[in-house]
PDB file of all heavy atoms in Angstrom:
ATOM      1  N   SER A 214     -10.080  -1.691  -1.110  1.00 72.00           N
ATOM      2  CA  SER A 214     -11.004  -2.025  -2.193  1.00 72.00           C
ATOM      3  C   SER A 214     -12.428  -1.840  -1.687  1.00 72.00           C
ATOM      4  O   SER A 214     -12.783  -2.306  -0.594  1.00 72.00           O
ATOM      5  CB  SER A 214     -10.805  -3.465  -2.673  1.00 72.00           C
ATOM      6  OG  SER A 214     -11.002  -4.375  -1.614  1.00 72.00           O
ATOM      7  N   GLU A 244     -22.727  23.888   6.904  1.00 94.00           N
ATOM      8  CA  GLU A 244     -22.501  25.306   6.646  1.00 94.00           C
ATOM      9  C   GLU A 244     -21.261  25.526   5.771  1.00 94.00           C
ATOM     10  O   GLU A 244     -20.323  24.727   5.775  1.00 94.00           O
ATOM     11  CB  GLU A 244     -22.331  26.068   7.966  1.00 94.00           C
ATOM     12  CG  GLU A 244     -23.573  26.091   8.842  1.00 94.00           C
ATOM     13  CD  GLU A 244     -24.670  26.952   8.249  1.00 94.00           C
ATOM     14  OE1 GLU A 244     -24.340  27.889   7.479  1.00 94.00           O
ATOM     15  OE2 GLU A 244     -25.839  26.695   8.540  1.00 94.00           O
ATOM     16  N   ASN A 251     -15.711  36.081   2.960  1.00 93.00           N
ATOM     17  CA  ASN A 251     -16.454  36.778   4.013  1.00 93.00           C
ATOM     18  C   ASN A 251     -15.973  38.226   4.110  1.00 93.00           C
ATOM     19  O   ASN A 251     -14.945  38.594   3.550  1.00 93.00           O
ATOM     20  CB  ASN A 251     -16.315  36.050   5.355  1.00 93.00           C
ATOM     21  CG  ASN A 251     -14.882  35.977   5.831  1.00 93.00           C
ATOM     22  OD1 ASN A 251     -14.262  36.990   6.144  1.00 93.00           O
ATOM     23  ND2 ASN A 251     -14.334  34.769   5.880  1.00 93.00           N
ATOM     24  N   ALA A 301     -15.731  15.955   4.888  1.00 95.00           N
ATOM     25  CA  ALA A 301     -15.665  14.668   4.193  1.00 95.00           C
ATOM     26  C   ALA A 301     -15.788  13.506   5.170  1.00 95.00           C
ATOM     27  O   ALA A 301     -16.486  12.519   4.898  1.00 95.00           O
ATOM     28  CB  ALA A 301     -14.351  14.567   3.415  1.00 95.00           C
ATOM     29  N   ASN A 308     -23.917   5.869   8.174  1.00 90.00           N
ATOM     30  CA  ASN A 308     -24.242   4.452   7.988  1.00 90.00           C
ATOM     31  C   ASN A 308     -24.866   4.238   6.610  1.00 90.00           C
ATOM     32  O   ASN A 308     -26.075   4.016   6.469  1.00 90.00           O
ATOM     33  CB  ASN A 308     -25.193   3.991   9.096  1.00 90.00           C
ATOM     34  CG  ASN A 308     -25.461   2.489   9.028  1.00 90.00           C
ATOM     35  OD1 ASN A 308     -24.662   1.738   8.464  1.00 90.00           O
ATOM     36  ND2 ASN A 308     -26.582   2.069   9.590  1.00 90.00           N
ATOM     37  N   PHE A 337     -19.197  47.349 -27.236  1.00 87.00           N
ATOM     38  CA  PHE A 337     -19.437  46.216 -26.355  1.00 87.00           C
ATOM     39  C   PHE A 337     -20.668  46.485 -25.489  1.00 87.00           C
ATOM     40  O   PHE A 337     -20.852  47.600 -24.978  1.00 87.00           O
ATOM     41  CB  PHE A 337     -18.231  45.954 -25.455  1.00 87.00           C
ATOM     42  CG  PHE A 337     -17.024  45.455 -26.189  1.00 87.00           C
ATOM     43  CD1 PHE A 337     -15.944  46.292 -26.445  1.00 87.00           C
ATOM     44  CD2 PHE A 337     -16.968  44.157 -26.649  1.00 87.00           C
ATOM     45  CE1 PHE A 337     -14.841  45.832 -27.127  1.00 87.00           C
ATOM     46  CE2 PHE A 337     -15.872  43.686 -27.336  1.00 87.00           C
ATOM     47  CZ  PHE A 337     -14.804  44.526 -27.577  1.00 87.00           C
ATOM     48  N   MET A 404     -41.312  24.966  -5.598  1.00 89.00           N
ATOM     49  CA  MET A 404     -42.762  24.771  -5.693  1.00 89.00           C
ATOM     50  C   MET A 404     -43.100  24.486  -7.144  1.00 89.00           C
ATOM     51  O   MET A 404     -42.856  25.321  -8.026  1.00 89.00           O
ATOM     52  CB  MET A 404     -43.525  25.998  -5.190  1.00 89.00           C
ATOM     53  CG  MET A 404     -45.039  25.832  -5.276  1.00 89.00           C
ATOM     54  SD  MET A 404     -45.956  27.160  -4.462  1.00 89.00           S
ATOM     55  CE  MET A 404     -45.627  26.804  -2.744  1.00 89.00           C
TER      56      MET A 404
END
Side-chain angles (χ1 to χ4, degrees):
S214 59
E244 295 290 334
N251 61 66
N308 185 23
F337 292 104
M404 180 171 289

